[in-house]
Amino acid sequence: MKVKPKIVGNVIKSVNPYGCRQAVLNQINYVKSKGKYAGPKKVLILGGSSSYGLATRITTAFGSGADTINVAYERGPKSPEQLGSAGWYNSIFFKQFAEQAGLIAQNFIGDAYSDTMKQRVIEYIKNEFGGKIDLLVYSLAAPKRNDPRSEKVWRSVLKPIDQSMTGENIDLEHERLFTETIAPATPEEIQGTAKVMGGEDWEWWIQALKEAHVLADDFKTVLYSYIGPQMTYPFYHEGTLGVAKTQAERSAERINQELKPLQGRALVCVSTVVTTKASVVIPIMPKYMIALYKVMTDEATHETPIMHKDRVYREMIYGKHPIYDPKGRLRADHYELRPSTQAKTAALYQQINADNFKSPMTGYAQFRKEFLNTAGFAVDGLENDEFEFSDLLNLKP
């Protein structure tokens, strides 16, 4: 059988399993082309099945020779009409490639927010993973979180605060530019977004791992964040997601106190914007992205998730060129926020309209291709994307 992209709004509802395999292989080959670096050796990634999390897993494994654990909530195939999620196949094929290279690659499929999952992972580290980890990466992005301590279900929203926001967005299903207005978040929605996308669960993971004595000396932990330029502040940095990321920065401060006995460190890594399942549904963000992509491509600084995270770990976290701001955040977004880059992006943004947004004057073609890549479609190097459904059932994470 063969699958075509099924796009609803800005979400791909279908998946090309062997396109996912090729996409993982392409990322591995990119890291290999850069050579080895001295980085972590035992890595736990929360949310390591796609985008930044998967890219982190690939660069630490194939760049630094790390054994890796991934915890992610993904869906497997149920029928020819329900083939599961891209992250399911990313995790499976990464494991295959890693094991072929002689590396340990363990996948835990389930709720990373749960205490049960924390204990399962801890037992695995103790009994089958060498006893300690030297890096934990927190890369979870979810619409909701089941809080095991209050038994409350928290939900996240992508909304401005205090006032409505009106702007132009891109509908990827119908390939049209349209104007939308986003109502401000309620206090409950602000709190819920902070609970889901903030740092509370990150803290709980560190506490559980420390109490279990499975953190190595000089242990590092990284949480991914985004700030962006001032033009995106109303619907991101000053919106509900911005509140959540600010809360995560306070969590980093507390975690750093926890890690002092180990001489460990917690970092908030402010990343560049890339095309992910999450970023394409942020209100108004896609129009900014197609302007930015054009400018950064022309400047030879545009990055995909693997290009960005390989640079972050190779050159910054385990390299000699970290960039920190006064708040101690690692600023891996310095290409995106160059004043000259932002000036060109802002000028182009103003020129983009419903008639020209798909033209070569913008980065729309690159943006759409990367969007399709997230589900295994339009992947470079894929020669055969036909498969038997029965073969998918034999793939195990």
Side-chain angles (χ1 to χ4, degrees), residues 194-254:
K195 285 286 188 178
V196 177
M197 303 296 289
E200 183 177 64
D201 184 63
W202 183 28
E203 292 187 64
W204 290 0
W205 267 100
I206 297 300
Q207 290 167 2
L209 293 164
K210 185 185 175 189
E211 289 173 4
H213 305 290
V214 296
L215 301 182
D217 290 341
D218 299 319
F219 166 81
K220 291 181 176 63
T221 182
V222 182
L223 178 141
Y224 295 143
S225 186
Y226 179 72
I227 293 177
Q230 193 164 359
M231 65 184 292
T232 67
Y233 278 11
F235 54 90
Y236 195 99
H237 186 56
E238 294 176 350
T240 54
L241 284 177
V243 169
K245 297 308 181 183
T246 298
Q247 193 273 334
E249 291 169 17
R250 293 196 290 268
S251 291
E253 295 172 1
R254 290 189 288 268

Side-chain angles (χ1 to χ4, degrees), residues 341-390:
T341 298
Q342 281 302 311
K344 294 174 188 176
T345 300
L348 179 56
Y349 183 93
Q350 294 301 321
Q351 298 174 41
I352 296 173
N353 57 45
D355 295 324
N356 64 24
F357 81 95
K358 292 191 289 183
S359 73
M361 70 175 281
T362 78
Y364 177 77
Q366 179 74 24
F367 173 70
R368 187 172 181 83
K369 185 178 187 295
E370 292 177 5
F371 168 68
L372 292 170
N373 287 172
T374 63
F377 297 102
V379 176
D380 292 339
L382 180 62
E383 296 180 354
N384 183 9
D385 57 357
E386 293 187 359
F387 57 90
E388 296 294 333
F389 176 70
S390 58

